[in-house]
Every structure is written in structure tokens, then in C-alpha cells.
Amino acid sequence: MVGWSDCSTSDNRGCWLKNDETGAEFSISTNYEDINSTPTGINRNYVLNITDGWVNADGMNLTEAKLFNNTYPGHNSAFEGFLLNPSILLNGKGNVTRYNNSVPHPLEVPSPYTLKFERPQGAKPKRHLLRLINTSFESTFVFSIDNHTLEIIESDFVPIQSYRNTSVLVGIGQRYNVIVEANDPLGKDGNYWIRTWRADCFRFPAGSPGYETAGIVRYGDSEALPTTSAWNVSLGCSDETYESLKPIREWTVGEPANDPSGFIGENFTVQSQVNQDTIFPLAFFSMGGNDFNPMKIDFGNPTFLNLDYSGKWPPLWVIFPENYTDRDWVYMVLHGLRNAQGSSTTGAHPIHLHGHDFAILQQIGNTTFPDKLNLTLNNPPRRDVVLLPTDGYVVIAFKTDNPGSWLMHCHIANHASAGLALQILERQQSAVDLWPSLAQSEALQRAQEGCNDWNEWWGDCSNWWAPPGKNSCLIGANGFLPDSGI
């Protein structure tokens, strides 16, 4: 990068770049939201060819895998394949018989994913940075390595004061950076299980004994399966301890601009209702205010192409305008549906907001809002995916400093498909100023081209997928796209 030099060393990974002229550092302490504090980036162009193909990830014949540049799953990730028979994959490798020992594997099961560590040479073992990313369909995972502690240093790209634990819970879409010291603690054959348990978030079927042994850390050349014992970890469905996630770059959260009624900002009820197929066939969840209001998008006419609209928004778009300044804070409270017993969230939902990091002012389970309200405004945890605790509530806050239309949704895929989402239209006029019209905005032009292609394809029902033996045109639009489209 022109004018900047690498300042990262084996003893100090907190400094990334140093300005050759001023000595200013780009580091974990930099205010990354201030463009004057960060170096000018470099444009890099990548070509991704997304194709269907065959892959053996876990011993099953997956004939419709989505390949990125002919690789699967396209990037390093730990996720559960959306298959008839569940399978936990670690960096694209799994064993379908591990989760359910009664499931046969028609193909050879791949070797487990393996990390190779060097045995300590002298008094200072090597330290390895692991990036944990949960891209699963519906599972929250608890990650651990037998006999190795994890030093957790970052959550959702936000550097935090490091802390140590024997495991870390990773919700869907969450990312953690952890450091592992290669100290070969047992000093025997040098083989240790990497474990990925499913947390107790919803009513998942129990796995067979040992289902969580997803990978191996190896010191040396032994190829034997590990015989190590697991840490005693909690599988409770809750984020890492609130007090542990202390950002290095501190924020102080201001008063809410969107609190006209004294309800701590805007309140959103996460709820489910049966027999809502008149809205759209798979409508089941909602978070769009206190009424049941599931979201469904229109692929051919997104909000981005309607930024200058001044009328009443279509109800299924579930749009909440936030028209404040770039210095104002908005608060949002997510909670379950109130009932005689308190409030019900139907489980712990990983809620993701596009366009922002948000501060978590409070996160509490088994409590009806606003009971036990106690907001943290001085350097609260911040990230972009938070678990709404079971039968509890979470209060988040962010500055309205990024104009546009931003999706907030549950990261459990079928919950989003069932409508558990909304849109935040942030500073609409500022967004119009950035993207004034099709004639003046290349971004709008590219978006319109994509929508035109979609509308042309969608307009020919022979393109639609249908079950074997069915006529795609006869299944109807709702038969082909029965869900929210998210």
C-alpha cells in the first residue's frame, strides 16, 4: 500500500501498517469508522465462477453442490450441510455416519480435516491464529480443541480485550478469531480432537456419541485417531459472556433519537403464527413491530431502486424509516411475544444487521422487557450478529451514519425464509443524494440490469424448477417461490 509499511511482528500483531511519513499506525486501536484514520485501500478484482457440480464432502453423493471456482464449500468454514441426513462439515470435510451412526455412506468417507502443529522447540511454542466462521443452515456450534485453551481476541471483526476459555460458542454468521498455543500438552502421540457441538438452541435431534469430533490437531506424523477427552463445555444457547466482549476501540453510546414514547427506542416482537399461508405459503415468523408482519422481498423491484419513493411502502417490504443525522443513535429492542407466562421467542435467534456494527446495550434471557433493564452505554460489546436470548430480550444501538436500505434478519435460513426479517431505511434523502437516479448512478444502473434479467427469466415459467413429473408452469408462482425470498 503506497506510503504505508507493514509493522506486524511475531511479538506484536496489534500493529498492521505504519505511515512512512507521519509514523501514524493503522492498528487494532484505530477508529475504523473514520476514513481519515485509515489508509486508502487497493482495488482488487476477483473472478468467481459459481456452478453446480458433484462433490463427496462426507460420504454422501451430493450431486447439486454449489461450487466456487470448482471448490466446495467455496471458502473455509464450519457449517452443517443442508442435506436429508445432517452432517457437520469442518472446512468442507465431514462424515455423514458420525452424526447418526445408522446412516450408511454410499461413498468413501473423506479423511477428517486436519491441522498440523509443530511440537515446541525451546521455551516458546508457536501460536496459531484460527478464524472461526459459522455458515450453517440452522446450527449454533460450540468449538473446542481437546487439552488446548483458546485465547479469544476478536468477535465479528471487532478486536477485543483477549480472554481465555476452553470453548467458544459461535452463532450462525458470527466470526471469532482465536489464538491456540501449540504446546502439545499431553506429549503422547500428538493427536487431539477438534470438536464442534451443536448448542441447545432449538429442538434438534440428538447426535450419536462422538458426533462432534469434526477434525484433528496433529503434532508429528502419527495418523491414528485421537484418544483425547473433551473439555467439560456448556452447550447452553447463549452468546459468549457479555462482560468478556470488551472492544479495544471504545464507544460511548449517546441517547436514542428514536424514542418518542419512552420505550427505549423502537420495539420489535419476534413471534411465530401458524396458518398464515394467505400472506405467502411459508409465512410463519415476524419481527416487524408488534403485529404479525412477515417480510417478503420482490426480486424484480428491490428497495434500492425505490429510494426516491414518497408514498406508503408495501406492507410485505416491512420498512422502518430512520431519518436522523449521521451523529444520532437509534436504539432497537428485540423481544419475544408477550403472554401470560412472560414472553416467548421460540428459541434463541441469531439476529444480523447489514450495514453496521451495533452496540449491545443489554442482553438477557428468560426475562420480559423491560424487567431488569440496565443498559451499558460505556464501551458495550459490539458486533453484527447477536443471539436474541431464549424468552428474553436484547437492546442494540447504532449511529445512523450509513445511508441506505439495510436488512435485519434471523440467520437461521428457514426462519428468514418464513419472514423473520425487516428493512431499515436509513436517512432516505441522503441515500437519494448518493444514488440520485438511473441516469446519474452507475450502481442503480447495474441493479436495474440485474432486475431486468431476473424479470425476463421469471416471466417464462418453463424456467421454474418443479418436482420430477410435475409441470413447472402448473405449480404456479407461489409453488416455485413459496418463501420470503431472503
Side-chain angles (χ1 to χ4, degrees):
M1 194 171 293
V2 176
W4 295 79
S5 298
D6 184 11
C7 58
S8 175
T9 68
S10 59
D11 294 320
N12 178 18
R13 297 300 187 189
C15 183
W16 304 323
L17 296 171
K18 180 176 288 188
N19 189 286
D20 296 336
E21 182 177 343
T22 67
E25 291 185 354
F26 179 46
S27 70
I28 60 174
S29 300
T30 301
N31 180 6
Y32 54 86
E33 294 197 324
D34 179 7
I35 61 173
N36 296 315
S37 300
T38 58
T40 302
I42 299 173
N43 289 331
R44 299 190 185 277
N45 297 316
Y46 296 90
V47 176
L48 295 177
N49 291 316
I50 306 173
T51 56
D52 290 337
W54 174 90
V55 70
N56 174 16
D58 59 1
M60 296 294 282
N61 185 2
L62 183 55
T63 58
E64 295 183 358
K66 307 305 176 188
L67 306 181
F68 283 64
N69 290 353
N70 208 36
T71 62
Y72 178 82
H75 54 80
N76 292 339
S77 58
F79 71 101
E80 174 200 12
F82 179 37
L83 307 171
L84 179 62
N85 297 300
S87 182
I88 297 175
L89 306 184
L90 183 62
N91 280 6
K93 289 188 174 184
N95 181 345
V96 71
T97 67
R98 187 186 296 122
Y99 194 80
N100 183 344
N101 296 161
S102 66
V103 174
H105 58 92
L107 304 177
E108 181 180 357
V109 173
S111 300
Y113 178 76
T114 301
L115 285 174
K116 297 287 289 186
F117 285 179
E118 293 181 13
R119 284 193 165 95
Q121 303 294 323
K124 194 173 183 180
K126 285 190 175 181
R127 288 154 54 84
H128 296 262
L129 175 66
L130 306 184
R131 304 183 190 276
L132 310 179
I133 309 169
N134 183 348
T135 63
S136 77
F137 175 79
E138 64 178 2
S139 297
T140 291
F141 288 112
V142 177
F143 177 94
S144 74
I145 302 175
D146 290 357
N147 303 101
H148 293 71
T149 58
L150 309 176
E151 183 181 359
I152 297 123
I153 63 170
E154 189 175 282
S155 62
D156 292 0
F157 298 136
V158 176
I160 60 175
Q161 300 288 347
S162 67
Y163 68 98
R164 294 179 182 274
N165 207 345
T166 55
S167 65
V168 59
L169 181 139
V170 191
I172 303 170
Q174 290 183 337
R175 293 87 67 206
Y176 282 94
N177 280 5
V178 303
I179 293 174
V180 179
E181 190 171 84
N183 54 11
D184 192 12
L186 296 183
K188 297 179 181 179
D189 64 359
N191 300 317
Y192 302 84
W193 282 119
I194 301 173
R195 300 180 190 263
T196 52
W197 284 273
R198 291 179 82 172
D200 297 330
C201 293
F202 287 90
R203 294 176 293 274
F204 295 132
S208 298
Y211 78 89
E212 78 286 347
T213 52
I216 300 173
V217 167
R218 294 194 190 278
Y219 297 83
D221 298 325
S222 170
E223 296 184 1
L225 292 179
T227 58
T228 50
S229 299
W231 293 105
N232 183 19
V233 303
S234 170
L235 299 184
C237 191
S238 59
D239 272 329
E240 288 295 291
T241 306
Y242 184 90
E243 291 75 17
S244 296
L245 303 180
K246 297 178 180 178
I248 290 175
R249 177 71 190 185
E250 297 187 2
W251 280 7
T252 298
V253 178
E255 294 297 315
N258 63 333
D259 192 19
S261 304
F263 287 109
I264 317 297
E266 292 166 271
N267 290 205
F268 300 95
T269 300
V270 172
Q271 58 183 302
S272 61
Q273 289 189 19
V274 298
N275 301 321
Q276 297 297 323
D277 55 356
T278 56
I279 301 175
F280 56 88
L282 294 184
F284 181 74
F285 279 110
S286 164
M287 62 187 298
N290 291 324
D291 297 328
F292 187 77
N293 195 14
M295 179 180 166
K296 182 175 173 59
I297 64 173
D298 183 347
F299 289 153
N301 188 28
T303 307
F304 183 58
L305 293 179
N306 294 272
L307 293 175
D308 59 352
Y309 183 66
S310 59
K312 186 177 180 180
W313 294 101
L316 285 179
W317 291 18
V318 194
I319 290 177
F320 288 86
E322 305 291 350
N323 292 311
Y324 304 101
T325 74
D326 60 1
R327 297 179 300 277
D328 285 324
W329 290 88
V330 297
Y331 289 13
M332 295 185 172
V333 183
L334 305 175
H335 56 76
L337 183 66
R338 292 182 174 87
N339 53 41
Q341 290 74 41
S343 67
S344 173
T345 62
T346 68
H349 299 270
I351 303 298
H352 175 48
L353 173 63
H354 293 206
H356 287 277
D357 287 342
F358 50 74
I360 304 171
L361 306 187
Q362 188 168 3
Q363 184 181 29
I364 185 170
N366 300 303
T367 304
T368 301
F369 180 78
D371 294 351
K372 301 181 182 180
L373 186 67
N374 183 24
L375 303 183
T376 297
L377 303 181
N378 183 29
N379 200 31
R382 65 178 183 269
R383 57 189 322 158
D384 58 37
V385 182
V386 64
L387 278 178
L388 170 61
T390 300
D391 299 340
Y393 63 87
V394 63
V395 185
I396 66 172
F398 60 90
K399 275 186 180 179
T400 51
D401 57 3
N402 195 12
S405 175
W406 302 115
L407 186 68
M408 184 160 67
H409 64 99
C410 180
H411 247 152
I412 298 174
N414 59 341
H415 291 191
S417 294
L420 192 49
L422 57 83
Q423 295 184 80
I424 295 168
L425 184 53
E426 183 174 339
R427 291 170 50 208
Q428 185 176 359
Q429 185 55 54
S430 296
V432 171
D433 293 341
L434 287 171
W435 305 288
S437 67
L438 275 173
Q440 297 171 278
S441 170
E442 183 179 358
L444 288 175
Q445 293 167 14
R446 299 290 83 76
Q448 185 64 68
E449 289 172 5
C451 291
N452 292 343
D453 290 342
W454 164 262
N455 289 330
E456 180 181 356
W457 184 91
W458 170 251
D460 182 356
C461 61
S462 65
N463 290 320
W464 303 352
W465 179 90
K470 300 290 186 179
N471 185 317
S472 60
C473 292
L474 295 181
I475 68 172
N478 279 338
F480 178 65
L481 286 180
D483 68 350
S484 68
I486 299 173

